[in-house]
Amino acid sequence: MTDSLDHRLRGAWTPEGADAVELAPKAVRWLRRRIGETTPNDPVAPDSAIAVAPSRIPAKAREELAAIVGPGNLLDDPRERLARSGGLSYLDLLRRRHPAAGIAVPDAVVLPADPEQVQRVLDVCVSHDVGVVPFGGGTSVVGGVTALRGDKDSVLVLDLERLNRLVSVDPVSRIAVLQAGVRGPDAERMLSVHGFTLGHVPQSFERATIGGFAATRSAGQASSGYGRFEDMVAGVRLATPCGEWRLGVAPASAAGPDLRQLAVGSEGTLGVITEVAVRVRPLPETERFEAFAVDGWERGTALVRHLAQRGLLADVTRLSDVDETESSLALAAGWKTTLLRRYLRARGVAEPCLLVLGWYGESGRRRAEVSRSLRAAGAVRLGAAPAHAWLRGRFAGPRQRDALLDLGVCVETLETATHWARIGTLYDRVRMALRDTLGDPLVLCHISHAYETGASLYFTVLTPRDTADPIGQWKRAKRAACEAIVDDRLGTISHHHAVGTDHAPYLEAEVGRIGLDVLAAAKRAVDPTGILNPGKLIG
Amino acid sequence: MTDSLDHRLRGAWTPEGADAVELAPKAVRWLRRRIGETTPNDPVAPDSAIAVAPSRIPAKAREELAAIVGPGNLLDDPRERLARSGGLSYLDLLRRRHPAAGIAVPDAVVLPADPEQVQRVLDVCVSHDVGVVPFGGGTSVVGGVTALRGDKDSVLVLDLERLNRLVSVDPVSRIAVLQAGVRGPDAERMLSVHGFTLGHVPQSFERATIGGFAATRSAGQASSGYGRFEDMVAGVRLATPCGEWRLGVAPASAAGPDLRQLAVGSEGTLGVITEVAVRVRPLPETERFEAFAVDGWERGTALVRHLAQRGLLADVTRLSDVDETESSLALAAGWKTTLLRRYLRARGVAEPCLLVLGWYGESGRRRAEVSRSLRAAGAVRLGAAPAHAWLRGRFAGPRQRDALLDLGVCVETLETATHWARIGTLYDRVRMALRDTLGDPLVLCHISHAYETGASLYFTVLTPRDTADPIGQWKRAKRAACEAIVDDRLGTISHHHAVGTDHAPYLEAEVGRIGLDVLAAAKRAVDPTGILNPGKLIG
């Protein structure tokens, strides 16, 4: 586990072995043209600049924990603790550059080997009143793994990386049981041996874990074909302060409320997910990606809606707005954007919006039907190249942020979803909120998850960093965007990033005071002393 | 509302205007051949034989309720109260024939006009500590609307039949908002004016309501095409003792646990559902039904699994086992069963299992692909007639029970679901439990809801009624079947009938002690004094 320590310490996304992302000079030139000059500043602070207080885990608890997991799996070295002191939001990254802003460092890191050890660790934490932050890939962008203490004197990070096994495969029911710490690529590798795939590929895929996917209601890039992660969950096993909790015996049930859907999305506040039974599918024999240009965002969204409501969505369906399309073309090396734009204009596409479609497995007929719909709507086929460019770079977004931060750019994403009739209003209001608070930022947007009744909107914001108050700059913008989303119950505060600390203030607007009371009551029932992930979800 | 009073008093399912079901002499002969002689007995008790205690609603509460709903909508006439004194399970029907066994009669019936009145009724009930049983179509077969008092001195039935409006239609998002008291046929009629359908057609369709569908996680006969009811729910509005609660702003969300899936299935214990926002679809231009015979139950289930896992399920997909197939043929007038059996045997189908497929809208290609799969598996096409016979009789099942009860038959259904790998074991164990407790009953079974990972099993049990202890006879059989289902977490205690009172003792085996504690905690949060549907779901 310590191989990735330097990456984690830097707050960097890039996993071991993956290429570090350098920004192409052309992309930097384009960006500066769009957002203005930026000043390289705020280098990542050296460890020595970060004050790490001594661990406050009671000695007796430390002893009991070490007896459970083995002394080598209870870490209180400052570097190990620092490396798991939060997620990877822009503010998390910024804090590694401004340590004076405060980093919540856990008192220890515990690495249990299996679900039984997780349960025993919780029992010790209950008896010594130690807070517990469940930790998978550490990729939260909403403060979901920040080591807050709540009312506890000490808090430990429960790192699930040793729970990395494929427990079982039931090829008849097409259900696999995976331990919570299995990362995306490892899940696919282990399932592929049995001829199966999970098909869950979010942007955090390289680092994020099965437990994290479940805890946050993750949605992968192929969600139109494979469903959101909660659609894949056949069952969950959780460790809670009240003991083990198992849910899920059938594909569907009317045995009261679906408690799986309460565990899924509980973000570590109702228990530590230790195993997930997931629906799997045969590995597709082929995959095919293609791209189109649609004229204008409004026509593009109508087209995606049309496909969704006719049951014709490609497994990956991704529509970029005009600015994101321009950015994709500018940042994908080798594109002759001027030529392309002229070509498209001659074909009636004045405001190109890139539509990327991905098909897994046999798709001939569906593709032909979609192509007909797209042609009828005036879309122009761009072939496979832009889709493959997206594919190549699809996990790079988070990694690019480190390079952008070095450049002095304020860069962050936020996302929401709503029903189709309000998608235009939601798009406009979020952009307006960002403009009102950030001056003239570059705001890119895409729809990457579409449903019969609505779709998600995913925004990327780029603007020169306010060197005097970089944290305040983003906090104001984020607050304005969140208020625009929940005002009048216009959209959800998160379509797939979850709540964590950052969205907690807005949850009441979405689920009501009663909704929060119900969540708090459920938490008290399973976690009466409140040791689980203090300060998350219900604030 | 009083038009249906006589039907309700009789405990009969048949709605006004619908044909009363007479059993064909041929069917009666066949049944007696299969289960032995029965003695017509236990006539429905006249009202006068049922002691109805005076209403115990406090005078002050009565006054306040009348002021809210209008005096004509607060009923305490014994007949009106009797008519809403329970659902339509076999035991409910039996109790109308053995009133000495005890009928839980509510103290009053309140008929609010809209969600605001429902909220105000709850407020009065909180202040006077009166129990409230939400009541839609009254078709519960699990004791879900039994007027239990819990720790309350009085209980009223909150009949939602005046909440019968289509509130809004959003044709862009394809979402309609329906009030909770809208019955199945009325929902379809109102939506069809806008060119839409809900596509939710459970056996209780003629009487059951939108609120009831949501409260019980109903599954319709076309669930393979249109989804279960919970899949259709975009949002819910509930009245609770703590005020109004609205959920659902987007097609999908990661804003914590999906609380819609807590409200859906809450069976009136967490609030009174007053409105449901549902996903709708365009009315299909065509529909087509067809039937096949498959050789043997095991091969049949494998075939349905194969279709489900290849995404090829017809919108209605329904496989009967050998006994249910024989019963369908015997009970459907005009069938030359001997000839048919000879015909099938000649084509290699020795143990015919009827497979009914229903397709809504354009289905040519899918049908052709399914036909190829079926032929390859040795299935024999039976044409449309057996499918249309099923269609004609598909709401008659519950109505036939009255005639069967008159004949002296013990007749009830029960259902469950599990993952494919365990479907054979579940089928065997439930049948064994029924045989062990009932001697040699006729047990029919079908799969009517299939998923990638598993399917439902729906059993119909017919046996001569034990005239000495008819209630005990069924209670013992039901207990044995339920224990077989939950033992070793083999299946769910209910796939679509819900929990009510009858399944409450088995819920812990499925969701754990922690699951029950969470439900109880959620209930305390929204209903601190416990007025909502006492004794249901969490017992």
Side-chain angles (χ1 to χ4, degrees):
Chain A
M1 60 251 173
T2 48
D3 292 351
S4 63
L5 196 59
D6 286 335
H7 290 287
R8 280 185 172 172
L9 279 169
R10 190 165 184 268
W13 191 283
T14 317
E16 311 95 276
D19 294 337
V21 170
E22 305 275 328
L23 294 174
K26 178 185 161 186
V28 174
R29 280 198 303 277
W30 177 85
L31 184 65
R32 288 192 162 141
R33 206 161 59 236
R34 287 301 306 261
I35 70 169
E37 273 310 310
T38 60
T39 320
N41 58 21
D42 301 333
V44 172
D47 293 356
S48 56
I50 304 173
V52 176
S55 175
R56 300 172 67 112
I57 302 280
K60 187 74 172 56
R62 209 192 168 293
E63 199 176 294
E64 291 172 24
L65 291 168
I68 294 165
V69 297
N73 292 305
L74 172 60
L75 314 174
D76 49 16
D77 176 87
R79 279 170 57 86
E80 297 283 0
R81 291 159 54 199
L82 253 182
R84 295 170 185 84
S85 60
L88 292 171
S89 71
Y90 171 65
L91 292 184
D92 287 326
L93 302 187
L94 261 189
R95 286 192 195 100
R96 301 309 308 261
R97 292 163 190 254
H98 294 268
I103 296 179
V105 182
D107 294 285
V109 177
V110 177
L111 296 116
D114 54 38
E116 291 73 20
Q117 288 193 4
V118 173
Q119 183 61 53
R120 291 167 62 202
V121 165
L122 287 196
D123 296 344
V124 170
C125 290
V126 168
S127 69
H128 295 280
D129 204 32
V130 175
V132 176
V133 178
F135 197 96
T139 61
S140 173
V141 291
V142 295
V145 292
T146 306
L148 301 180
R149 277 147 213 274
D151 61 356
K152 308 301 167 204
D153 191 52
S154 60
V155 63
L156 59 77
V157 160
L158 201 161
D159 190 324
L160 294 153
E161 74 173 55
R162 292 172 70 206
L163 276 75
N164 57 5
R165 290 199 313 118
L166 169 61
V167 179
S168 63
V169 176
D170 168 358
V172 175
S173 311
R174 294 195 176 166
I175 292 175
V177 178
L178 288 156
Q179 287 187 329
V182 174
R183 287 171 204 269
D186 294 329
E188 290 298 341
R189 191 178 39 71
M190 292 190 285
L191 289 171
S192 71
V193 172
H194 299 268
F196 289 115
T197 177
L198 185 53
H200 186 71
V201 188
Q203 203 175 36
S204 60
F205 176 73
E206 294 168 314
R207 291 183 57 166
T209 59
I210 294 296
F213 295 150
T216 60
R217 305 180 79 79
S218 170
Q221 289 162 347
S223 70
S224 299
Y226 288 90
R228 296 167 59 86
F229 197 77
E230 68 256 33
D231 303 327
M232 304 176 187
V233 173
V236 282
R237 178 179 178 187
L238 299 101
T240 84
C242 294
E244 277 231 324
W245 191 16
R246 286 172 188 266
L247 291 167
V249 299
S253 170
D258 189 350
L259 295 175
R260 286 178 307 187
Q261 295 301 329
L262 193 72
V264 171
S266 61
E267 302 187 18
T269 65
L270 300 181
V272 180
I273 294 169
T274 55
E275 285 179 2
V276 186
V278 288
R279 175 198 72 201
V280 294
R281 290 185 178 160
L283 276 169
E285 285 176 17
T286 58
E287 59 180 63
R288 184 160 176 150
F289 282 80
E290 54 189 344
F292 295 82
V294 188
D295 189 26
W297 174 246
E298 213 168 312
R299 187 173 302 187
T301 57
L303 200 50
V304 173
R305 172 167 67 85
H306 177 75
L307 295 174
Q309 294 182 337
R310 287 181 58 207
L312 286 176
L313 285 177
D315 301 312
V316 173
T317 300
R318 193 178 176 87
L319 174 76
S320 294
D321 71 356
V322 172
D323 281 330
E324 187 171 284
T325 300
E326 185 185 311
S327 132
S328 298
L329 300 180
L331 299 175
W335 274 88
K336 305 279 187 293
T337 53
T338 324
L339 260 180
L340 178 67
R341 233 174 260 119
R342 200 176 306 153
Y343 172 88
L344 290 173
R345 208 172 300 124
R347 277 151 191 81
V349 176
E351 298 198 304
C353 287
L354 182 66
L355 177 66
V356 170
L357 304 181
W359 308 89
Y360 294 101
E362 173 48 40
S363 59
R365 278 193 194 134
R366 279 159 67 220
R367 273 199 298 115
E369 204 169 340
V370 169
S371 287
R372 272 196 299 280
S373 293
L374 293 177
R375 265 202 307 277
V380 175
R381 179 184 294 276
L382 297 176
H388 286 142
W390 170 76
L391 260 182
R392 276 194 305 278
R394 66 176 172 162
F395 304 130
R399 291 187 236 150
Q400 285 176 343
R401 291 187 311 164
D402 296 319
L404 288 165
L405 259 79
D406 287 341
L407 269 187
V409 178
C410 164
V411 53
E412 183 56 305
T413 63
L414 57 90
E415 42 80 61
T416 177
T418 193
H419 297 130
W420 288 114
R422 294 180 294 178
I423 206 96
T425 306
L426 183 59
Y427 178 80
D428 291 342
R429 292 210 189 145
V430 172
R431 285 163 53 90
M432 203 181 304
L434 293 167
R435 274 165 210 282
D436 284 351
T437 43
L438 291 173
D440 188 27
L442 177 59
V443 181
L444 319 175
C445 184
H446 64 251
I447 288 175
S448 44
H449 307 272
Y451 309 85
E452 286 176 78
T453 56
S456 67
L457 291 177
Y458 189 97
F459 297 91
T460 303
V461 187
L462 296 131
T463 199
R465 188 153 71 247
D466 178 344
T467 48
D469 181 17
I471 290 175
Q473 174 190 31
W474 178 248
K475 279 194 164 172
R476 283 187 293 276
K478 172 81 175 172
R479 186 185 315 127
C482 289
E483 285 169 357
I485 287 168
V486 298
D487 192 35
D488 201 23
R489 305 183 83 230
L490 185 55
T492 175
I493 193 63
S494 174
H495 171 269
H496 60 270
H497 281 170
V499 176
T501 52
D502 299 3
H503 293 148
Y506 308 97
L507 192 56
E508 180 173 346
E510 183 162 341
V511 303
R513 185 68 241 164
I514 295 177
L516 291 192
D517 288 346
V518 164
L519 288 175
K523 182 173 175 65
R524 277 192 305 276
V526 296
D527 179 24
T529 58
I531 62 164
L532 289 174
N533 217 7
K536 315 301 156 44
L537 185 59
I538 33 188
Chain B
M1 59 254 173
T2 47
D3 292 351
S4 63
L5 196 58
D6 285 334
H7 289 287
R8 281 185 171 170
L9 279 169
R10 190 164 184 268
W13 191 284
T14 318
E16 309 97 275
D19 294 335
V21 170
E22 304 276 329
L23 295 175
K26 177 184 162 187
V28 174
R29 280 198 304 276
W30 177 84
L31 184 64
R32 287 193 163 141
R33 206 162 56 238
R34 287 301 306 260
I35 69 171
E37 273 310 307
T38 60
T39 321
N41 60 19
D42 300 335
V44 172
D47 293 357
S48 56
I50 304 172
V52 176
S55 174
R56 300 172 67 112
I57 302 281
K60 187 76 172 53
R62 210 193 168 291
E63 197 178 295
E64 290 172 24
L65 292 168
I68 293 166
V69 297
N73 292 305
L74 172 60
L75 314 175
D76 49 15
D77 176 86
R79 281 168 58 86
E80 298 283 3
R81 290 160 56 200
L82 254 181
R84 296 169 184 87
S85 60
L88 292 171
S89 71
Y90 172 64
L91 292 184
D92 287 324
L93 302 187
L94 261 190
R95 285 191 197 101
R96 301 309 307 264
R97 292 163 190 254
H98 293 269
I103 297 178
V105 182
D107 294 284
V109 177
V110 177
L111 297 116
D114 53 40
E116 290 73 19
Q117 288 192 3
V118 173
Q119 184 59 54
R120 290 167 63 202
V121 165
L122 287 195
D123 297 344
V124 170
C125 290
V126 168
S127 67
H128 295 279
D129 205 31
V130 175
V132 175
V133 179
F135 197 97
T139 61
S140 173
V141 291
V142 295
V145 292
T146 306
L148 300 179
R149 277 146 215 274
D151 62 356
K152 307 304 167 200
D153 191 52
S154 60
V155 63
L156 60 77
V157 161
L158 202 162
D159 189 324
L160 294 152
E161 72 173 57
R162 293 172 70 205
L163 277 77
N164 58 4
R165 290 199 313 116
L166 169 61
V167 178
S168 63
V169 176
D170 167 358
V172 175
S173 311
R174 293 195 177 168
I175 292 174
V177 177
L178 287 158
Q179 288 187 329
V182 174
R183 286 170 203 269
D186 295 330
E188 290 299 340
R189 192 178 39 72
M190 291 190 288
L191 289 171
S192 71
V193 173
H194 300 269
F196 289 115
T197 178
L198 185 53
H200 186 71
V201 188
Q203 204 175 34
S204 60
F205 176 72
E206 295 169 315
R207 291 183 56 165
T209 60
I210 294 296
F213 294 149
T216 60
R217 306 180 79 79
S218 171
Q221 290 162 348
S223 70
S224 299
Y226 288 89
R228 294 166 60 84
F229 197 77
E230 67 257 32
D231 303 327
M232 304 176 186
V233 173
V236 281
R237 178 178 177 187
L238 299 101
T240 85
C242 294
E244 277 232 323
W245 191 17
R246 286 171 188 267
L247 291 167
V249 300
S253 171
D258 189 350
L259 295 176
R260 286 178 308 187
Q261 295 301 329
L262 193 72
V264 171
S266 61
E267 303 187 19
T269 65
L270 299 180
V272 180
I273 294 169
T274 55
E275 285 179 2
V276 186
V278 287
R279 175 198 72 198
V280 293
R281 289 184 178 160
L283 275 169
E285 285 176 18
T286 57
E287 58 181 63
R288 187 161 173 147
F289 282 80
E290 54 189 344
F292 296 82
V294 189
D295 189 27
W297 175 246
E298 213 168 311
R299 186 173 300 187
T301 57
L303 200 51
V304 172
R305 172 168 67 85
H306 177 75
L307 296 174
Q309 294 181 339
R310 286 181 59 208
L312 284 177
L313 285 178
D315 302 311
V316 173
T317 300
R318 192 179 178 87
L319 174 76
S320 294
D321 71 357
V322 173
D323 281 328
E324 186 171 283
T325 299
E326 185 186 312
S327 132
S328 297
L329 299 181
L331 299 175
W335 274 87
K336 306 277 185 294
T337 54
T338 324
L339 260 178
L340 178 67
R341 234 174 259 118
R342 199 176 308 153
Y343 172 88
L344 290 173
R345 208 173 299 123
R347 278 152 190 80
V349 177
E351 298 198 304
C353 287
L354 182 65
L355 177 66
V356 170
L357 304 180
W359 308 88
Y360 294 100
E362 174 49 39
S363 59
R365 276 191 194 135
R366 279 158 68 221
R367 272 199 300 117
E369 206 168 341
V370 168
S371 287
R372 272 196 299 279
S373 293
L374 293 177
R375 265 200 308 277
V380 175
R381 180 183 295 277
L382 296 177
H388 286 142
W390 170 75
L391 259 183
R392 274 194 306 278
R394 66 175 171 161
F395 304 129
R399 290 186 236 152
Q400 285 175 343
R401 292 187 310 165
D402 295 319
L404 288 165
L405 260 79
D406 287 341
L407 269 186
V409 178
C410 165
V411 52
E412 184 55 306
T413 64
L414 57 89
E415 41 81 59
T416 177
T418 193
H419 297 130
W420 288 115
R422 295 181 292 176
I423 206 95
T425 308
L426 182 59
Y427 177 79
D428 292 341
R429 292 209 188 147
V430 172
R431 284 163 53 91
M432 203 180 305
L434 293 168
R435 275 166 208 281
D436 284 351
T437 44
L438 291 174
D440 188 26
L442 176 60
V443 181
L444 319 175
C445 184
H446 64 250
I447 288 176
S448 43
H449 307 272
Y451 308 85
E452 286 176 76
T453 56
S456 67
L457 290 178
Y458 190 97
F459 297 91
T460 303
V461 188
L462 295 131
T463 198
R465 189 153 71 248
D466 178 343
T467 49
D469 181 18
I471 290 175
Q473 175 189 31
W474 178 247
K475 279 193 166 174
R476 283 187 293 278
K478 172 79 176 175
R479 187 185 315 125
C482 289
E483 284 167 359
I485 288 168
V486 299
D487 192 36
D488 201 24
R489 305 183 84 232
L490 184 55
T492 175
I493 194 61
S494 175
H495 171 268
H496 60 270
H497 281 171
V499 177
T501 53
D502 300 2
H503 293 148
Y506 308 98
L507 192 56
E508 180 172 347
E510 183 162 340
V511 303
R513 185 68 241 165
I514 295 177
L516 290 192
D517 288 345
V518 163
L519 288 175
K523 181 173 176 63
R524 277 194 304 277
V526 297
D527 179 24
T529 59
I531 62 164
L532 290 174
N533 217 9
K536 315 302 156 43
L537 184 60
I538 34 188

